[in-house]
Structures are given as C-alpha cells and as structure tokens.
Amino acid sequence: MSTPGSSFSQFRHSATIAIEDVRLQGALDRALSHFREARGNALSAVPDVEALRDHLKAIRQTTIANLAEHLETFERSAQANGAHVHWARTAAEASQIVVDIARAHNVKLVAKSKSMMTDEIRLNQALEAAGITPVETDLGEWIIQLSQEPPYHIIAPAVHKTKGQVIELFEHESGESLSAADIPALTAVARRMLRAKFLAADMGVSGGNLAVAETGSVVLVTNEGNGRMVTTLPRVHVAVMGIEKIAPTWDEAAVWLSLLARSATGQPLSIYTTAITGPARPGDVDGPQEVHVVLVDNGRSRLLNTPYEEVLQCLRCGACLNVCPVYREAGGHAYGSPYTGPIGAVVSPLLFGLEQYEALPHASSLCGACKDVCPVRIDLPRMLLALRQEEVAQGIIAGPEALAERAVAALMGNAGLWQLALGAARLGQRPFLHDGQLQLPVSFTGERRPPHLAAKSFRQLWAEGLEAEGLAAESLAAEGLDSQDCRGDDERTG
C-alpha cells in the first residue's frame, strides 16, 4: 500500500502548522476534553470497572494467543449462515477482492459505513480506479471525503473542521446557498443528499468492530442510522475487517461491547449495535441478498509471538488519543496514517514500515497516560521504546541524530559525566540568553525554541533545602526546642 508516511521533517512541519493554528487548538481542546470527561463519567458508573478491564484484557490476550483456531471457527460459522468469507494477506489483495465482488455484480455506486480498515487498505482509491464510485455515509467521514483529506481522529474524523468549512463543502456539493444554516439544518441537508445515495447504491461496504466466532456474526457499533442503511438496503454487503477483531463467543463480545463505547464516547452503548449473520432469510423484511466478509492480515500475523503481539488487543476506541499531550498539540494529520495518536504511533510503523514512519515512535512524552486509559491496558510506552531501539539498531535514525542520541545515552549512563556536562552547558549558554530566552546562532530544533537550563539544578536546590533545614534545626536546638514543638504550635494555632 502507499500511505503518506511520517518522517521527522514531515511530522515536525505538520505539527508546527497545527500548533500555530489557534482555532484548531481550541477545537481540539474542547472536543478531547469532552471525550475525556464523558469517558470518566461512564466508567465511574460501572461497578468494579478495574476488574472488568482486567477481564477484557485476559479475554483479548487468550483470544489472540489462539487466533487461528477462532478465525477458522468464524469462517465455518459464517459459511454455514450463507456468507462468503475471503482472506487477504495484503491491503492490495483486500481491495482487489472488494473490486472483484463489485464487478461481478455490475456495481457502479458503493455506500460505505465508517471503517478504519477501508482507510488502511485505501479502498476508495481502488474502487475509483475501477470506475466505481464510493460514497462515505457517516457524516464525519463524508465531510473529509468531500474535502479530500484523511481522517483526523479514530472516532471523530472531522473533529478539526469548523462549521464554516462544512458549509463551504456542502454548498459545493449541493449547489445551494447554506451560509445562514445552523448545525441541524446542515445535518438535514446531508441526510437528504445521502438518502439518494443509499437508494441508488448497488453494494454496501462496512468495517467490523468485532466478529463473533461461534455464530459467524459481524458486529458494528454506530451512532448514526447510516450504518443500518448501508448493511440492509443494497443487495450486496461486504464487511472488511482485521483478523484480530475476533471474540470467541457472545459472552466475550458482551464484555468487549460494555467497554468499547464507554471508552470511546462515554456512552453505555452506541446508539446502534448491529449484528450481521449471513444474508437475508426468507421472510426477512430487508437485508442483503449476499454477504461477504473480507478478513485482512496486512502484517498483523507477523506480530504474533513477538513483543508487539499485545497491540493486536486494541479495540480502536480512540481513548489514548484524547489524553495524549502530543496528539492534543500536533493534531491527527501529523501522523500521516489513518491510525493517529499513541496507538497510531505503534501500529503504523509495525504495519506499514518503520522507515516510512520513523518519527512516530518519538511522537510521545512517554507519560503513560495512554496505558492508563486503555480499556485493555495495552503497554504502548513499552512498545514505543522498543521501536526506538529498533530504529537505532537498524540504522534508521539519521547519522547526526543517532550520534547525538548515543552521546546523550553515554552521558546519562554516568552520573559524574552528566553533572559535569550540565555544569558546562549552564556556563556555555550564558552568552546566548536574552530576556530569559535561549537564542542560539544555529537552530538544532527546527522551528521550536529550545528551553534553557535553570540557574540551579534540582539536585542543588534539594541539597540547599536540606542544608537550610539542618541550620534551622541547630538553631531550635540551641533555644531548647525541637521541630516537633513547632509543628504542635502550628496545629493548635490552626
């Protein structure tokens, strides 16, 4: 597949543009703080939620460890229901399978529901190259399709768009003047235009939030009615999903669903939870005549039995994006991948190539917030560090940066040298300090202004504090008092 990628220069350039966009920063702050608050409220209402997270972690761990067995069970169950199951090793194979199904049914128009997997395999581009028109019907996905952009956020793809920008897109698409329209009016325009697409579409395409092996069902969670329209109105339906999205039984699926929406949007459940179990049966009032499920590997099986296997447990809830200090400033497009934020910083190099996404393992403060909020406690910081080590081992890091990293590592590994180097740097920076800002004649940090070293290190301040305490204690002792007497006076006074 061909994806934009994210080199160091690309990431820094895109992040700088996002950081300097005051409107964008405000929009991200509002949207992401809303998601964080909603998640906190939703999880606080669940009794013993930490035990539930541990239970889901165990389910996902055990399922991934026996993935082949569960996938084979799913295939048999789905085929018994009348569905066609296809296996795709690569993104190109997956797209070709969908194009071939469309051609076999003389499909001209495809109605799509929101799907990260179809973004990953670049299905829209493959359909268009085959003369088939794909139409995104999720409102956010439709907005970014009209603006010809990749998604900005896993669950809120158009979170960066203003109302004015959406009006311009809709006016261009509808040919109407909508300058005075409010949000409900814009939604009504989108609904009217998309309904015509639903009725005209020959084929529906969706992703799959998870699949249940015991019944061969594909489960979708959506908040807009478009998901059900896509899966029931067109005569052919194709679900495209990663091989890791398997739950052995509905009991495991129930635990998965109980944490998915709460972690993503703060809802107990999404508005719609749809299970597709084969094509329509005699007597059904709606439903497709054919159902195809495309199970996509695209590098996932390479991760089994490796230090990165844990990342296959991801539910794609997007909670890690909402708490990440880097994502909140740099924005989604800096990642150059359909998968953004901390999960994208791990998944993108693993699936699409570490060289192509060399900057992403470094797009993290390693604060651990992503691990704390993950419903399955995926240790993303550990994997980010492992990817950085691989970059050094494979020589991916550019010569000067690799040399600088090795030098810093050597200094930090020796306490005496580190203190000596800091002292020298503190002296050396003095000629370049102006109004409290470090202004170097040559920029080593691109467009970012490097911080300067404080006049005293934390160690010095700490030592001086202890020394001051010691002097105070000596003074009190000379007066026949001790520090406990003073604390007692304070408490009584208070």
Side-chain angles (χ1 to χ4, degrees), residues 322-334:
N322 303 332
V323 299
C324 176
V326 175
Y327 176 86
R328 283 152 54 187
E329 299 295 326
H333 286 167

Side-chain angles (χ1 to χ4, degrees), residues 20-322:
E20 293 179 349
D21 188 336
V22 177
R23 180 206 57 77
L24 175 63
Q25 291 296 314
L28 285 176
D29 282 345
R30 287 189 294 275
L32 302 186
S33 63
H34 166 73
F35 283 137
R36 293 196 300 273
E37 183 179 353
R39 173 192 172 274
N41 292 337
L43 292 182
S44 66
V46 179
D48 208 357
V49 67
E50 298 307 320
L52 188 63
R53 292 174 67 190
D54 290 338
H55 185 38
L56 180 58
K57 174 81 177 177
I59 288 172
R60 293 294 291 139
Q61 204 166 18
T62 306
T63 303
I64 298 297
N66 299 280
L67 189 57
E69 174 192 336
H70 298 307
L71 285 169
E72 289 169 2
T73 302
F74 172 80
E75 182 181 36
R76 287 194 299 272
S77 303
Q79 289 174 338
N81 295 324
H84 303 269
V85 178
H86 309 262
W87 300 84
R89 288 170 298 181
T90 65
E93 279 188 14
S95 289
Q96 191 60 50
I97 289 168
V98 181
V99 168
D100 289 345
I101 295 169
R103 282 176 170 159
H105 292 83
N106 196 28
V107 169
K108 301 297 181 188
L109 179 65
V110 170
K112 290 184 68 223
S113 182
K114 185 178 184 308
S115 159
M116 294 300 300
M117 175 52 75
T118 58
D119 286 333
E120 176 183 326
I121 65 173
R122 297 175 68 80
L123 180 60
N124 284 6
Q125 290 84 345
L127 289 170
E128 288 168 352
I132 300 164
T133 302
V135 177
E136 299 289 348
T137 62
D138 172 270
L139 185 56
E141 289 282 346
W142 192 48
I143 289 170
I144 64 168
Q145 185 184 27
L146 293 179
S147 62
Q148 300 181 353
E149 293 179 23
Y152 210 82
H153 188 286
I154 286 178
I155 62 168
V159 69
H160 60 302
K161 289 293 184 188
T162 65
K163 179 183 149 187
Q165 290 171 321
V166 174
I167 286 174
E168 285 182 15
L169 292 168
F170 283 14
E171 282 184 334
H172 184 266
E173 184 69 11
S174 67
E176 303 173 30
S177 176
L178 302 169
S179 57
D182 56 14
I183 299 297
L186 290 174
T187 307
V189 170
R191 185 181 295 119
R192 175 168 50 77
M193 287 194 286
L194 288 175
R195 275 180 178 166
K197 305 295 184 185
F198 288 127
L199 294 172
D202 310 293
M203 191 167 91
V205 171
S206 72
N209 290 93
L210 63 138
V212 183
E214 68 174 346
T215 59
S217 305
V218 174
V219 182
L220 303 175
V221 295
T222 59
N223 276 319
E224 300 175 21
N226 71 303
R228 290 199 168 177
M229 303 278 269
V230 164
T231 55
T232 56
L233 279 179
R235 52 193 165 87
V236 179
H237 182 71
V238 183
V240 189
M241 56 186 296
I243 57 173
E244 79 279 19
K245 296 289 195 69
I246 289 286
T249 71
W250 276 103
D251 286 340
E252 283 89 354
V255 180
W256 187 325
L257 291 170
S258 69
L259 283 172
L260 176 58
R262 287 185 169 94
S263 302
T265 56
Q267 298 165 285
L269 280 175
S270 295
I271 303 298
Y272 300 97
T273 301
T274 304
I276 306 167
T277 309
R281 296 167 177 76
D284 286 350
V285 294
D286 57 21
Q289 297 165 18
E290 278 190 28
V291 167
H292 296 259
V293 182
V294 183
L295 296 168
V296 185
D297 185 330
N298 202 29
R300 288 161 173 77
S301 59
R302 281 201 314 265
L303 306 179
L304 295 171
N305 300 313
T306 74
Y308 302 109
E309 180 180 292
E310 187 182 6
V311 83
L312 297 176
Q313 299 168 15
C314 176
L315 311 185
R316 302 286 191 267
C317 68
C320 59
L321 279 66
N322 303 332

Side-chain angles (χ1 to χ4, degrees), residues 12-23:
R12 286 169 181 155
H13 177 69
S14 300
T16 301
I17 292 174
I19 290 168
E20 293 179 349
D21 188 336
V22 177
R23 180 206 57 77

Side-chain angles (χ1 to χ4, degrees), residues 311-362:
V311 83
L312 297 176
Q313 299 168 15
C314 176
L315 311 185
R316 302 286 191 267
C317 68
C320 59
L321 279 66
N322 303 332
V323 299
C324 176
V326 175
Y327 176 86
R328 283 152 54 187
E329 299 295 326
H333 286 167
Y335 291 79
S337 167
Y339 301 111
T340 57
I343 185 65
V346 173
V347 165
S348 303
L350 290 174
L351 295 185
F352 313 139
L354 189 52
E355 285 194 21
Q356 190 172 353
Y357 287 90
E358 61 174 0
L360 297 194
H362 302 264

